[in-house]
DNA sequence: AATGAAAGTGTTTATCC
DNA sequence: GGATAAACACTTTCATT
């Protein structure tokens, strides 16, 4: 069975209660030992190791990431910039976004604004030079993040 | 020394090369054993354990998360919705967003659009009922994500 | 799919530099 | 901050159900 079919099977059947519990636990702390996960859900360590292996193989689990606090690195400001490239500038704009390390996320979307980019900045003074640079190739519309009522969270696993 | 001062000290001094390497490794695979991290950077396991403990205590490392592929759970579509609450509806709108499990991220921003929310959907048919619900309390502007030229990545740690 | 047991690793703590 | 060593804990493999 190829990966696509396995993934499809998961979509229709969904995850069982144990897999959902494992994902919930790993979403809190992805470094929890398999042995501790096993105790939490009442199964043996080898069976949990095998379940994790399958979740990874299926593509449900894409990996395990460290979460860094941007503030602790001096990035005190987040900006969401909508970007509408000028005629003929689409590829140059995308290249600029991809190559800017302060862009931590960028989606290409439908509608008049072609890109939505999330910037991390150390101060408000950094914003203007960044926008000036883009202005050569695109129109922009910038919003500063004041708070985040919903921080990155998982979609329902059920 | 309180946490805020420690964090401040980090901001000015930055992270040393070993801490940067550890973060880079854990960003690829947050479940790597301390012993393997130690071998990668050429230090002993206890010294790496101590460094991780300090990075966590400083607030640089906020935690370790499992990354789930929404597609594998049937969420085939991502929408970015900008939301401008009607007069007097701000709190009700925010409550609606926070309590909607399909909203996986939401920022409150400056400008005319008060909120920017990221929705995961199983199909395009799910979009209209969601927007109809919000329409009672806010004006919305919706973009469908076609591709993501920059997937979530860390800011520069240097 | 899951288990228990055993062998191989990894983690933690204490002590020293 | 970092190293080593010993005690303890975890992971992996395999035979079994």
């Amino acid at each position: 069975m190829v990966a696509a079919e396995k993934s499809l099977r998961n979509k229709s059947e969904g995850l069982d209660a144990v897999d959902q519990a494992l994902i919930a636990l790993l979403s809190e702390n992805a470094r929890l030992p398999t042995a501790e996960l096993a105790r939490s859900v009442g199964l043996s360590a080898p069976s949990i190791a095998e379940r994790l292996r399958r979740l990874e193989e299926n593509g449900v689990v894409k990996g395990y990431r460290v979460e860094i606090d941007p503030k602790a690195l001096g990035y005190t400001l987040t900006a969401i910039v909508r970007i509408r490239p000028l005629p003929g500038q689409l590829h140059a704009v995308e290249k600029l976004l991809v190559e800017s390390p302060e862009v931590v996320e960028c989606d290409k979307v439908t509608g008049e604004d072609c890109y939505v980019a999330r910037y991390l900045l150390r101060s408000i003074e950094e914003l203007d030079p960044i926008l000036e640079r883009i202005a050569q190739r695109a129109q922009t519309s910038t919003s500063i993040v004041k708070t985040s009522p919903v921080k990155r969270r998982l979609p329902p696993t059920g």
Side-chain angles (χ1 to χ4, degrees), chain A residues 68-130:
Chain A
I68 298 298
D69 184 358
K71 280 204 192 74
L73 299 178
Y75 296 96
T76 54
L77 219 64
T78 301
I80 295 176
V81 182
R82 292 182 286 128
I83 296 155
R84 188 181 311 187
L86 299 172
Q89 296 296 315
L90 193 86
H91 292 295
V93 166
E94 181 163 326
K95 186 164 182 285
L96 176 60
L97 293 167
V98 170
E99 291 174 359
S100 301
E102 66 269 29
V103 172
V104 292
E105 185 175 44
C106 174
D107 297 298
K108 191 177 187 186
V109 299
T110 60
E112 299 195 331
D113 301 309
C114 200
Y115 296 99
V116 180
R118 176 179 293 255
Y119 281 80
L120 288 185
L121 306 174
R122 289 185 197 264
S123 72
I124 190 68
E125 282 78 30
E126 292 187 359
L127 185 58
D128 202 53
I130 286 168

Side-chain angles (χ1 to χ4, degrees), chain A residues 132-150:
Chain A
E132 293 266 351
R133 183 119 189 267
I134 302 177
Q136 298 164 13
R137 305 185 181 280
Q139 287 184 282
T140 62
S141 179
T142 303
S143 302
I144 302 293
V145 174
K146 294 182 289 183
T147 63
S148 298
V150 180

Side-chain angles (χ1 to χ4, degrees), chain A residues 45-86:
Chain A
S47 75
I48 296 310
E50 174 62 10
R51 275 173 177 269
L52 291 183
R53 203 197 53 71
R54 274 201 303 270
L55 286 169
E56 291 162 18
E57 193 187 279
N58 282 344
V60 174
V61 168
K62 290 179 82 175
Y64 308 91
R65 316 287 169 220
V66 65
E67 188 190 346
I68 298 298
D69 184 358
K71 280 204 192 74
L73 299 178
Y75 296 96
T76 54
L77 219 64
T78 301
I80 295 176
V81 182
R82 292 182 286 128
I83 296 155
R84 188 181 311 187
L86 299 172

